[in-house]
Amino acid sequence: MIGRIRRALRYGFEFIEQPFERLFGPALNPLAQLGALGFFFFWIVVVSGIYLFIFFDTGIERAYESVEYISREQWFHAGVMRSLHRYASDLMVVMVATHLLRQFAYDQYRGVRWFSWFTGLPMIWLLYGSGITGYWLVWDRLAQYVALTTSELLDRLPIFGEPIARNFVFTGTLTSRFFTLMVFMHIAVPLILLFIMWVHILRISRPKINPPRTLAAMSLVALIGVALWKPALSQGHVDLAMVPVEVGLDWFYLPLYPMTDIWGRGGVWEFLGAFSLIIGLMPWLPPLRRARAAEVDLAHCNGCARCAEDCPYEAIRMVGRTDSLPFPSQAQVNAALCTSCGICVGACPSSTPFRRSEELKTGIDLPDFTLKELRERTVAAAEALQGPARILVFACEHSGAWRLDEAVHLPCVAMAPPSLFDFVLSRDLADGVVIAGCAESACFSRLGIAWTKQRIAGARDPYLRARVPRERIATIWTSALATRQAAADIAAFTAKIAALPRKKLRLPRAPNPSSRSNDEHLPAEAGSAT
Ligand code: HEM
Ligand code: SF4
Ligand code: SF4
């Protein structure tokens, strides 16, 4: 059931994203930058909020007038800031909802990833807390409605001794205490939100917290455009002698407020409780498959730290050496953080399939799918190849090529060390190699596509040797649902290779001293041979 919902949602996202990306490229796809856009909108809210605070009168008597002054007398700067503050906050809600759905749709929330998902839950509450207290401060009719309904909702909880809602119904008993508390909360809650935003990405290496400049500039210009076209305005001074009947609602922050009339206050709390419970439990709902974490083999680890640099989930730390090998450090895996993507295996200089040692061993390996097995599967898949052009496909299990029986399947394409592609072509196991990974803006293991591209381009260790004919290697980035697209791309590459003259390999070049490919710089006992 959950699987089917996830799949349907994923179709929905891809239906929008794929054509968009083909037209404008992955960098301008806002759906691929949701977390980064969330940070960006947050900063707009903070900057505009600080600016507004300069003109805002924090006392209950003059609050409304000061906001009116901002909106009408100084509309060209403070008024625009007020609108930016409102609309960027609204966009944060849109971003959070879409981000949550997309993480779910792309199945990037379960197992080890539970941490980011789980910390997202208090962020939703804090975001709403920030927005609702913000509406309070304007002290207009909407604020009165928000104050009254919030207090009625809070009265339902056994926190306050006496009902606070009546403060907002009877003028005589109203004090400004609550208003001052709201001013304080409207500053404190976003600060706590910022702290949790930081915690949220703690377990992610190189998190994207800044959107690409063009996307950021376009979002800001659009926000300013909306601010000028439809400025945020107040809805008339609070009148505590009357219960507000008709108010314009902000449907981003206040959609549940009218529901108090339909479901009752208890019903709203039950809904919120059920929502939080389901979201909170989702990472642990079955089916939960979990491969074993990567393991370090010290005899083959020289402490180069490449695995730690490439790991997308901060699962590897470099620590002092615990054996007698003459290297200052060694890799250490924190199994609780490891998603078993295998990217570290592809990064390790000991991961070289050319090695003749009886059992192929490397510095860091996946116990459930070792480098040795990868080499064996590669050789077996190559032996089965036929036709005018023998094309060996290395398919990420989240890519459009995952269903191809003849492909070598990997948890992430970056698990394959570049020397494996060299091995296939230089040993004439195939005429061409296809590296088939996820759609470019939706790499399941976050950094797998980026590292693969850089390794092939020679921009990242371990680089693909210059002797490997690049025209015989193709990279195909398609989503798991785009199986036909992947098959068509592979067919086109096969036709291209069939038209090439029979391959002739160049001799190995002298190694580049600043950069090393996989089969160099191994621990002395590893005994490599090419
Ligand atoms: C203010 C709200 C939020 C902001 C600013 C935010 C921001 C981010 C950022 C920057 C990342 C890292 C993206 C990357 O580099 O791959 C991320 C990851 C993530 N977020 Fe959020 N997030 C927010 C709310 C949420 C919520 C409400 C949920 C779900 C309940 C959520 C679930 C996740 C998950 C599961 C990941 C990890 C993805 C992975 O492991 O690949 N986030 N978020
Ligand atoms: S398998 Fe992936 S997540 Fe685990 S340590 Fe290696 S690179 Fe990090
Ligand atoms: S040798 Fe391999 S396991 Fe050791 S630090 Fe380098 S990449 Fe990591």
Side-chain angles (χ1 to χ4, degrees), residues 105-389:
Y106 284 83
D107 202 4
Q108 288 173 307
Y109 67 101
R110 291 192 290 166
V112 170
R113 291 172 163 97
W114 71 271
F115 184 81
S116 297
W117 178 270
F118 199 74
T119 50
L121 184 56
M123 282 155 75
I124 301 178
W125 279 89
L126 290 165
L127 182 62
Y128 273 84
S130 311
I132 290 166
T133 50
Y135 274 110
W136 208 302
L137 301 198
V138 181
W139 210 229
D140 62 350
R141 299 244 167 83
L142 176 61
Q144 188 182 351
Y145 171 74
V146 170
L148 187 61
T149 315
T150 312
S151 315
E152 281 176 355
L153 281 169
L154 291 177
D155 282 345
R156 180 79 200 191
L157 302 176
I159 323 174
F160 302 100
E162 60 179 74
I164 51 172
R166 63 190 176 141
N167 278 345
F168 297 96
V169 184
F170 303 111
T171 328
T173 56
L174 177 76
T175 67
S176 62
R177 235 177 351 145
F178 238 81
F179 191 82
T180 314
L181 178 67
M182 284 309 128
V183 177
F184 171 74
M185 297 267 282
H186 191 58
I187 297 166
V189 176
L191 281 177
I192 304 172
L193 174 62
L194 179 61
F195 173 71
I196 311 256
M197 277 159 70
W198 171 72
V199 174
H200 183 63
I201 49 171
L202 264 186
R203 287 190 172 189
I204 293 179
S205 52
R206 303 167 201 259
K208 279 192 275 174
I209 53 168
N210 293 313
R213 273 199 200 148
T214 323
L215 191 62
M218 282 165 60
S219 313
L220 186 60
V221 169
L223 271 172
I224 295 175
V226 177
L228 291 171
W229 169 60
K230 219 173 179 314
L233 296 172
S234 310
Q235 300 186 32
H237 198 290
V238 159
D239 183 355
L240 292 171
M242 285 171 59
V243 175
V245 185
E246 264 189 36
V247 282
L249 278 187
D250 178 325
W251 288 101
F252 296 98
Y253 280 94
L254 309 169
L256 287 183
Y257 277 58
M259 300 317 282
T260 43
D261 294 334
I262 303 167
W263 297 340
R265 289 172 289 168
V268 169
W269 282 119
E270 274 158 30
F271 172 82
L272 290 173
F275 170 81
S276 303
L277 195 70
I278 293 172
I279 295 287
L281 287 179
M282 268 175 68
W284 293 278
L285 292 182
L288 231 178
R289 297 176 282 129
R290 200 181 153 190
R292 279 179 293 163
E295 283 171 4
V296 176
D297 183 344
L298 279 187
H300 300 266
C301 171
N302 65 16
C304 70
R306 282 188 206 170
C307 54
E309 274 167 35
D310 282 9
C311 173
Y313 288 101
E314 300 276 349
I316 305 174
R317 259 185 346 132
M318 298 310 296
V319 296
R321 204 77 203 183
T322 54
D323 61 6
S324 55
L325 282 185
F327 303 107
S329 58
Q330 66 184 50
Q332 189 181 65
V333 177
N334 180 346
L337 303 184
C338 174
T339 58
S340 316
C341 65
I343 291 181
C344 50
V345 181
C348 183
S350 300
S351 294
T352 167
F354 289 103
R355 296 164 74 182
R356 288 202 199 99
S357 42
E358 265 297 285
E359 195 176 349
L360 178 58
K361 290 222 171 152
T362 180
I364 188 160
D365 215 345
L366 296 183
D368 290 333
F369 181 39
T370 59
L371 183 70
K372 177 174 172 272
E373 277 175 73
L374 174 57
R375 184 172 70 175
E376 283 166 6
R377 281 197 210 171
T378 302
V379 173
E383 276 167 5
L385 293 175
Q386 285 168 352

Side-chain angles (χ1 to χ4, degrees), residues 476 485-497:
I476 291 175
Q485 178 67 45
D489 289 350
I490 293 168
F493 179 67
T494 309
K496 185 188 133 192
I497 295 295

